[in-house]
Amino acid sequence: MARYATTDLHGCLHTFRHAVETKLRLRATDELYVLGDYVNKGPDSRGVLDYLMQLQKAGFQVCCLRGNHDQDLLDAAHGRDSVTWASADDRALTLQSFGVKEAAHIPESYLRWLDALPYQLDIQGFTLVHAGFDFRLPPQQMRQDWNTMLNIKQFVFDASRLQGRRLLHGHVPTPTAEVQRQVDARQGAIGLDTGCVYRHNPELAHLAVLDLDSFQLQLYPNQEEPYPIARR
């Protein structure tokens, strides 16, 4: 059995499938943890959700956490959106992938799946979350601060709050060289978002997959057909 973690797919279906099927050759006995942000920015938000749901239905042990973009899409679909739930280009690309003109028309099956996603998960050796925690808060409050778990961009890690587990998160696109440095140093908190969706940024534009037992980091370049996205 192998255990892997990755994050921030943002509609990059071809890249993710290539990693799962060609590189990892995921088996039903393996565990794959995905730390959120399946939708927005990239070319095929619906395709990513379809693929994740298919893997789970086929018996693969794929555990998905909630990201801020997943929450934004849920909020928009339930009428809690604002004009800033995504940029105009992001909205158009995301809605186009679902074949709808408004978020409220996204099929209910996708919304139910997104709404069931957990915010965090403890596994052997690791705590998983999309963005991070506010380690200044009391422990119980820290683990119930949903907004911070989805959105925080900077924090001071405190291993004592996680009973010695390492923290794995995504959310903030980080150059591949820096993520590799964090992994090589076996830091207590490691950000795995290497900005796969930002295809014009050579320092990003990769999907990072960490083997949780061997601590080997694999970086897979963006393999999507061209799509509109600004350089970060």
Side-chain angles (χ1 to χ4, degrees):
M1 183 192 82
R3 301 188 301 161
Y4 304 104
T6 189
T7 190
D8 290 80
L9 305 180
H10 284 300
C12 293
L13 174 62
H14 296 309
T15 310
F16 183 50
R17 287 195 70 151
H18 174 72
V20 168
E21 298 176 11
T22 304
K23 296 299 184 179
L24 301 180
R25 296 184 179 180
L26 196 70
R27 302 163 296 180
T29 54
D30 295 336
E31 297 173 0
L32 175 61
Y33 299 94
V34 194
L35 310 184
D37 275 8
Y38 314 104
V39 301
N40 293 346
K41 298 186 180 182
D44 197 355
S45 294
R46 180 177 185 166
V48 167
L49 297 185
D50 281 336
Y51 186 53
L52 289 167
M53 294 162 74
Q54 288 165 11
L55 286 171
Q56 292 175 338
K57 288 177 182 177
F60 288 92
Q61 299 182 70
V62 178
C63 179
C64 299
L65 301 187
R66 184 184 307 232
N68 61 300
H69 281 271
D70 313 313
Q71 185 64 54
D72 287 347
L73 191 64
L74 270 174
D75 288 343
H78 291 142
R80 298 189 294 267
D81 65 313
S82 70
V83 294
T84 59
W85 73 268
S87 71
D89 288 343
D90 281 359
R91 287 197 297 273
L93 206 57
T94 298
L95 296 176
Q96 179 182 337
S97 77
F98 286 99
V100 300
K101 294 185 177 180
E102 298 179 14
H105 298 155
I106 292 173
E108 186 64 28
S109 58
Y110 298 104
L111 303 180
R112 285 197 304 270
W113 188 86
L114 289 170
D115 204 29
L117 295 176
Y119 291 89
Q120 60 186 328
L121 181 67
D122 291 333
I123 62 174
Q124 184 179 355
F126 299 91
T127 290
L128 312 178
V129 70
H130 178 63
F133 297 102
D134 183 350
F135 287 94
R136 300 169 300 178
L137 296 174
Q140 184 175 0
Q141 186 178 347
M142 179 188 87
R143 299 296 293 263
Q144 295 178 351
D145 185 357
W146 317 125
N147 182 64
T148 294
M149 291 183 207
L150 295 179
N151 294 292
I152 194 170
K153 292 188 176 181
Q154 291 182 321
F155 55 84
V156 176
F157 177 64
D158 182 350
S160 68
R161 296 295 187 89
L162 300 179
Q163 294 74 53
R165 292 185 296 270
R166 282 189 173 88
L167 178 66
L168 292 183
H169 65 94
H171 187 54
V172 178
T174 304
T176 55
E178 170 59 19
V179 175
Q180 185 69 66
R181 186 196 68 77
Q182 293 177 17
V183 171
D184 290 345
R186 300 204 172 208
Q187 288 188 184
I190 296 174
L192 288 177
D193 179 8
T194 45
C196 180
V197 73
Y198 290 105
R199 63 188 185 92
H200 299 306
N201 285 69
E203 76 280 11
L204 300 172
H206 286 74
L207 183 68
V209 181
L210 181 64
D211 184 316
L212 301 184
D213 297 305
S214 71
F215 236 70
Q216 294 298 305
L217 180 70
Q218 300 297 327
L219 296 166
Y220 304 118
N222 183 307
Q223 298 199 4
E224 310 305 310
E225 294 294 325
Y227 54 92
I229 189 168
R231 186 182 181 91
R232 183 175 174 84

